[in-house]
Amino acid sequence: MQHPIRFYDKPAGGLGSLNGTTKALRSNSVLPALKVLPQLNQPGGVDCPGCAYPDSPKDKSVDFCEQGAWAIAHETTRLRASPDFFAGHTLASLRTRAEWELEGFGRLTAPMLYDRASDTYREIGWDEAFKLAAGALRALDAPSRAVFYASGRSSNEAAFPYQLFARAFGTNNMPDSSNYCHESSGMALGTTLGVGKATITREDFEHADAIFVFGQNPATNHPRMLGDLREASLRGCRIAAFNPMLEPGLRGFADPQSPLETLTGRGTRIASEYFQVRVGGDLAAITGICKAVLEAEDAGGKVLDRDFIARHTSGFEDFAATVRAQDWQRIELDSGLPRAQIEKAAAMYMASKATIATWCMGLTQHEYAIETIQMLVNLMLLRGNVGRPGAGLMPVRGHSNVQGDRTVGVTNRPKKEWLEGLERVFGFKPPAQHGLDAVAAINGIIDGSVHAFLGLGGNFAVAGPDSPRVLAAMEGLQLTVHIATKLNRTHLHPGRVGLLLPCLSRTERDEQAGGRQFVSVEDTASMVHASAGRGDPASAKLRSEPHIVTELARHTLGESQLPWQAMGSDYAVTRELIEKVAQTAVAGFEQYNERITQPRGFHLPNSARLREWKTASGKAQFTAIALPRDTIMGRARAAFGDAVLCLATVRAHRQYNTTVYRDTTGEVDRYRGVHHTRKVLFISAATMARLGLSDGQKVDVHAASPDGIARQCSGYQLVQYDVPDGDVFGYFPELTPLISPQLVARGSLTPAFKEVPVLLKASE
Ligand SMILES: Nc1nc2c(c(=O)[nH]1)N[C@H]1C(S)=C(S)[C@@H](COP(=O)(O)OP(=O)(O)OC[C@H]3O[C@@H](n4cnc5c(=O)[nH]c(N)nc54)[C@H](O)[C@@H]3O)O[C@H]1N2
Ligand SMILES: Nc1nc2c(c(=O)[nH]1)N[C@H]1C(S)=C(S)[C@@H](COP(=O)(O)OP(=O)(O)OC[C@H]3O[C@@H](n4cnc5c(=O)[nH]c(N)nc54)[C@H](O)[C@@H]3O)O[C@H]1N2
Ligand SMILES: [Mo]
């Protein structure tokens, strides 16, 4: 059997990225993509539909990355999944296809309705589609039977009418991709700093002395951030990475825009220190750093910002006492890091005058995600690292407008002020009771209490836990409506009325009755800016997301007092309405329509950045957290024995969430060196030796599920890799069937995608 790994010993970026960009273009669509790329992330251009990393505040002629090029090439593909295509493929046959094949059929071109007799999707007219959806929604016995899912790629101008539709219909059942993603970050920051968003902007990277990067693989998922880290490193900023996997992409980076680095293949060092915590060990590691800082203070080191702590914070004494009470042995055991390393991280933190902490899914998709991020806030508060230049916290968001969708009301837990704003502007009383989040929606679909599913983008069932069971259960729904650009597996399990409604993508021209439209999005640093597609639509039958959403609403709710048609035909109307609702709920939307035309848009003020604390105590809040004893892995090992391993599901280089890209040269995960197969598990030599397994061997992965349901994925090849003993890593979405919906983060209920107890058995 061929070993799938070829060790990658070059810095990230460089020629590999340039080749990757060229391949992206060759693979699909040279001309359309080449037209889009120069406009990407530029004033007056298109916001990259890839990640939510902020645009450059400087004038840069190029502000896109290899991964953006792949996203654009796949969006502007010439391939079409047309009605003829669907006529020739039953859903049963499509269900046997791999993720990349579904994606590879190309753009959807016409509205389709599922026909059970032929097991195919068939074209119908738009008006008929809207009427069918409206009829099925109105036939539900209660509004709470419906869920309105949103993936974070939609614009503010689509998301706002979507949440208005759900609430005017009578429900807050608005699960979104945030529930799967940074929910824990929003909650942890909200309780401690009073605002659930990053306290820094991209400029701050130019002023930091130290940057701590937790649980993030930016070479693959936020390559533009790697450019900022490279510049920081070049000017002497120290960078610490906390990651159980030794990620080659975090160690060095050759800037594809630097001819010297690209040609010599010699990059710039990114992480000056690499801390290989155990999976789920960050809470203990950060507790240890806090403890070392407090010990240095006790030894007379004067390392705390006493003035800041006194003036701006609350809860310091409780927090400090709890941290002091944690013993080093326990910290070492739980974090997987020796005390000396933790003290090294603490020394680095104490030597820095301005520190930034960033994080991504390595912190959020864990049982104790909220506590971990709260502990990180504690650490930053100790030296006043919030609300001054070059210092602060940044959850690096995933989907390009996931933050904006939340700002304009897409959430199952709306704030009171937002609902009051809706009532004031629209004159109806929105439901106050919180709705279903993603995991609750999954449970509702499985237990039959949910009857209708609408999805504004995304791949709901495949992106969530227990995908096979959820997909099967979706066929029992009265209604499924998917607003999408491309085919995916969730679409292959339609309800009794099953609609697939194709929409314009972000790179395409959007003409409405009110003229040519543009949309707006908010990045992870709270910059709201415009995005205007110019390309020809993939099909004349495509409609824009705002049009589809407002027409669905109008057909369902009738011509009430709500201005559906105005919002669907002139997005300036929507922005004006957002501004009105936001007036008393979200600061910073004043003169939205005027300011959105500024070249780089505008920044939504962040109260914590201004050192105004909108918390219960009116101060920045320290949180006293003791290391937990009751854990997912502890419970699983007690029930299933010591052979239980902790599986963290991660992304490969050639994928965007559930969208898997096929690279004809077989490259799957460049920096980790994986080729030709995604069915691999990264595992340490020590773990293999302990379990009697060997490198390259094939295994079946069995979930050590808390609910007793058998879950299995077969035929995974073991790859020896530098990871902690007891932890294994593999790719989602393929391994998602192992995940029980009971494995969630406390408080945020985000699935613990990085903390799945599994057992390995040699394949027959
Ligand atoms: N090209 C591309 N770009 C993307 C995406 C994509 O799929 N493709 N997805 C977008 C989205 S929605 C998101 S949310 C982001 C995701 O961006 P990331 O969070 O970078 O993505 P993951 O692959 O989930 O990687 C998480 C990292 O966390 C590490 N990790 C796992 N467990 C732990 C742990 O317990 N502690 C620590 N410290 N680290 C851990 C893994 O080794 C890995 O390096 O990227 C966005 N950008
Ligand atoms: N096991 C495991 N599961 C995970 C994660 C993990 O780390 N491990 N990460 C989680 C995270 S962080 C996230 S954010 C979720 C992502 O969950 P989702 O957002 O639901 O999934 P995506 O794969 O991003 O959605 C892709 C689909 O979106 C549609 N699409 C693409 N562009 C557009 C557009 O412009 N408009 C519309 N209407 N549709 C469009 C296409 O049909 C495409 O198939 O997955 C989560 N799932
Ligand atoms: Mo995400």
Side-chain angles (χ1 to χ4, degrees), residues 32-260:
L34 275 180
K35 278 195 205 150
V36 176
L37 286 177
Q39 309 160 24
L40 217 52
N41 305 319
Q42 298 291 341
V46 182
D47 180 64
C48 180
C51 74
Y53 197 68
D55 296 346
S56 174
K58 298 195 201 114
D59 288 326
K60 267 184 149 185
S61 55
V62 175
D63 194 21
F64 68 89
C65 68
E66 173 198 357
Q67 303 297 60
W70 276 78
I72 295 297
H74 278 253
E75 195 166 289
T76 56
T77 174
R78 289 176 204 281
L79 300 169
R80 299 287 178 266
S82 63
D84 281 350
F85 161 83
F86 282 107
H89 291 84
T90 61
L91 295 201
S93 73
L94 289 172
R95 286 196 288 266
T96 64
R97 302 300 192 110
E99 310 303 325
W100 64 264
E101 288 179 289
L102 299 179
E103 153 73 23
F105 290 129
R107 290 286 299 277
L108 302 168
T109 64
M112 309 294 291
L113 172 70
Y114 179 61
D115 171 55
R116 202 161 293 274
S118 62
D119 189 33
T120 56
Y121 271 117
R122 292 195 174 171
E123 182 172 0
I124 53 161
W126 276 105
D127 222 44
E128 205 187 334
F130 293 136
K131 281 185 186 138
L132 275 169
L137 281 171
R138 281 199 305 259
L140 298 175
D141 57 12
S144 59
R145 295 292 191 190
V147 298
F148 294 74
Y149 177 68
S151 161
R153 198 176 264 198
S154 303
S155 61
N156 287 357
E157 289 78 354
F160 179 79
Y162 193 57
Q163 60 85 40
L164 187 64
F165 176 22
R167 296 191 168 113
F169 182 67
T171 180
N172 285 316
N173 287 347
M174 297 209 83
D176 67 351
S177 61
S178 235
N179 296 149
Y180 288 150
C181 188
H182 266 296
E183 190 73 69
S184 314
S185 308
M187 287 191 165
L189 293 174
T191 52
T192 54
L193 302 179
V195 54
K197 298 181 181 182
T199 73
I200 59 165
T201 67
R202 198 164 163 186
E203 279 103 326
D204 285 303
F205 285 97
E206 293 167 22
H207 307 290
D209 280 345
I211 303 172
F212 282 64
V213 180
F214 289 89
Q216 197 186 345
N217 184 18
T220 285
N221 298 313
H222 300 96
R224 288 184 299 147
M225 176 170 167
L226 219 54
D228 287 353
L229 293 178
R230 170 182 170 272
E231 280 175 29
S233 169
L234 284 173
R235 59 170 183 79
C237 172
R238 312 267 325 268
I239 297 168
F242 284 76
N243 199 312
M245 270 195 123
L246 205 60
E247 298 282 21
L250 270 167
R251 304 178 77 189
F253 175 56
D255 187 349
Q257 288 164 40
S258 150
L260 187 69

Side-chain angles (χ1 to χ4, degrees), residues 177-178 180-182 360-361 365 396-399 402 651 656-657:
S177 61
S178 235
Y180 288 150
C181 188
H182 266 296
C360 209
M361 297 301 103
Q365 297 174 335
V396 187
R397 308 250 168 208
H399 269 304
V402 64
R651 292 154 170 80
Y656 192 90
N657 296 342

Side-chain angles (χ1 to χ4, degrees), residues 303-592:
V303 292
L304 301 186
D305 186 340
R306 288 277 178 194
D307 182 52
F308 174 83
I309 293 174
R311 276 211 288 163
H312 287 286
T313 72
S314 155
F316 172 75
E317 291 306 333
D318 259 7
F319 148 78
T322 313
V323 165
R324 286 196 176 97
Q326 308 304 307
D327 68 73
W328 276 112
Q329 224 185 341
R330 185 66 203 292
I331 290 171
E332 288 186 316
L333 198 71
D334 285 7
S335 66
L337 297 176
R339 177 171 173 178
Q341 274 209 39
I342 294 176
E343 286 176 337
K344 195 169 178 189
M348 193 170 152
Y349 177 68
M350 290 185 284
S352 156
K353 290 200 181 67
T355 305
I356 286 175
T358 75
W359 67 94
C360 209
M361 297 301 103
L363 292 199
T364 64
Q365 297 174 335
H366 283 287
E367 186 180 23
Y368 290 98
I370 292 188
E371 289 81 355
T372 305
I373 299 160
Q374 287 173 330
M375 190 56 82
L376 187 55
V377 173
N378 288 337
L379 175 65
M380 297 296 277
L381 292 179
L382 285 176
R383 287 176 52 77
N385 276 312
V386 181
R388 54 189 174 80
L393 294 121
M394 180 188 257
V396 187
R397 308 250 168 208
H399 269 304
S400 51
N401 194 38
V402 64
Q403 187 159 314
D405 286 3
R406 275 291 168 97
T407 304
V408 302
V410 172
T411 169
N412 62 304
R413 299 183 186 95
K415 289 213 178 86
K416 197 167 92 321
E417 297 79 15
W418 184 261
L419 297 179
E420 284 165 1
L422 291 178
E423 184 172 357
R424 180 168 40 77
V425 174
F426 296 106
F428 75 95
K429 194 148 191 75
Q433 199 189 351
H434 287 179
L436 303 178
D437 63 6
V439 167
I442 282 174
N443 290 330
I445 290 170
I446 290 178
D447 72 23
S449 57
V450 166
H451 296 175
F453 176 92
L454 291 86
L456 179 57
N459 190 357
F460 173 74
V462 175
D466 229 4
S467 34
R469 294 178 70 226
V470 183
L471 288 168
M474 285 190 85
E475 293 176 19
L477 297 175
Q478 293 299 315
L479 172 71
T480 52
V481 181
H482 301 290
I483 303 168
T485 49
K486 292 270 191 85
L487 186 64
N488 66 45
R489 196 169 300 285
T490 304
H491 307 153
L492 301 180
H493 297 263
R496 200 178 58 77
V497 175
L499 291 161
L500 188 47
L501 306 180
C503 63
L504 289 174
S505 76
R506 210 181 266 177
T507 53
E508 290 163 343
R509 213 170 37 246
D510 184 351
E511 301 278 1
Q512 300 294 340
R516 169 106 34 120
Q517 304 297 314
F518 65 87
V519 294
S520 47
V521 294
E522 177 184 338
D523 66 32
T524 205
S526 307
M527 286 298 297
V528 180
H529 57 92
S531 175
R534 297 183 202 167
D536 294 334
S539 146
K541 288 180 183 159
L542 300 184
R543 296 290 178 265
S544 74
E545 291 181 340
H547 175 88
I548 298 171
V549 167
T550 52
E551 283 298 286
L552 281 169
R554 190 170 69 87
H555 281 79
T556 308
L557 302 169
E559 298 289 350
S560 57
Q561 69 278 39
L562 302 181
W564 302 118
Q565 261 172 327
M567 282 192 281
S569 52
D570 180 359
Y571 307 164
V573 171
T574 311
R575 287 186 288 271
E576 203 176 310
L577 290 166
I578 294 174
E579 179 179 335
K580 282 190 181 151
V581 174
Q583 229 168 54
T584 47
V586 189
F589 273 113
E590 299 77 29
Q591 298 177 301
Y592 192 170

